[in-house]
Amino acid sequence: GTVTVWVIEICGLADVRVTEFTKSPILLKLLKSTPPAIVVEFVGSSSSLTIPSTVTNDGKTYNVTSITSGAFFGCKDITDITIPEGVTSIGNHAFSLCKTITEFVVPENVVYIGNNVFEGSIAQGEYNALEKVSFEGDKLEKVGNAAFRYCYNLSEIALPNSVKEIGKNAFQSCTSLTM
């Protein structure tokens, strides 16, 4: 199952009209009549998922620019996910408690990885299977607090030189990482 998260990135727009639609197997929301589209929730059960770089709704095409907070929280089916190059941010808890993703590729234009993005839950005994994170580009500036906390199997990650800030406890309990 999926946890439904209704978080909308408003981006400072005063008059926000949200259009919601499903492009199987993901739920997307469009803000106002201008791009971008943001991935809000995974509503499918596919093991391999490719998020489209653009989506079309009512004859208008929108670029997918972010994975919002909690979008894939608790997904137990996904083993492989491809995120388009146009994505610039990955929100808080976007992949928390996703037990089946072992490798994750951060697209080249991502500048921000949110808090607790891949965090497991020590209290519930639920951990991510994440073993390897790679970066396609050198634009990442910030890794949020506890972004990879309790990723016990994470053994390979090489942050790009562009990183300016690593949040508190970003790699706490990543016991398979070595320096």
Side-chain angles (χ1 to χ4, degrees):
T2 324
V3 175
T4 303
V5 180
W6 300 108
V7 177
I8 302 169
E9 294 181 5
I10 296 176
C11 305
L13 299 174
D15 179 26
V16 176
R17 284 172 291 228
V18 177
T19 302
E20 183 178 297
F21 67 101
T22 301
K23 180 176 171 94
S24 184
I26 57 176
L27 175 69
L28 298 123
K29 288 194 176 186
L30 307 176
L31 304 180
K32 219 170 182 177
S33 60
T34 58
I38 59 174
V39 175
V40 176
E41 177 189 3
F42 178 65
V43 293
S45 60
S46 175
S47 64
S48 182
L49 176 66
T50 299
I51 297 172
S53 59
T54 61
V55 291
T56 302
N57 188 47
D58 290 336
K60 293 183 181 179
T61 300
Y62 301 86
N63 294 322
V64 175
T65 60
S66 69
I67 310 299
T68 196
S69 297
F72 296 91
F73 183 95
C75 287
K76 294 170 179 49
D77 297 323
I78 301 172
T79 56
D80 180 48
I81 187 164
T82 303
I83 297 174
E85 290 180 9
V87 169
T88 59
S89 67
I90 300 173
N92 301 339
H93 294 282
F95 298 96
S96 290
L97 299 179
C98 290
K99 299 179 188 180
T100 52
I101 298 174
T102 57
E103 284 191 38
F104 188 78
V105 177
V106 179
E108 70 176 286
N109 291 310
V110 170
V111 294
Y112 174 73
I113 293 177
N115 299 330
N116 312 90
V117 168
F118 280 98
E119 183 183 41
S121 171
I122 194 166
Q124 297 174 6
E126 296 184 14
Y127 310 108
N128 287 333
L130 191 64
E131 297 173 1
K132 179 181 178 182
V133 177
S134 57
F135 298 85
E136 290 183 334
D138 199 22
K139 294 183 181 176
L140 182 68
E141 295 178 4
K142 181 178 180 183
V143 176
N145 296 332
F148 298 96
R149 181 166 52 184
Y150 306 131
C151 289
Y152 293 108
N153 296 318
L154 182 60
S155 61
E156 190 176 334
I157 185 170
L159 295 173
N161 292 330
S162 57
V163 173
K164 296 174 185 164
E165 181 180 346
I166 297 174
K168 182 178 177 185
N169 299 319
F171 296 96
Q172 179 183 351
S173 299
C174 293
T175 55
S176 295
L177 279 178
T178 56
M179 294 289 190

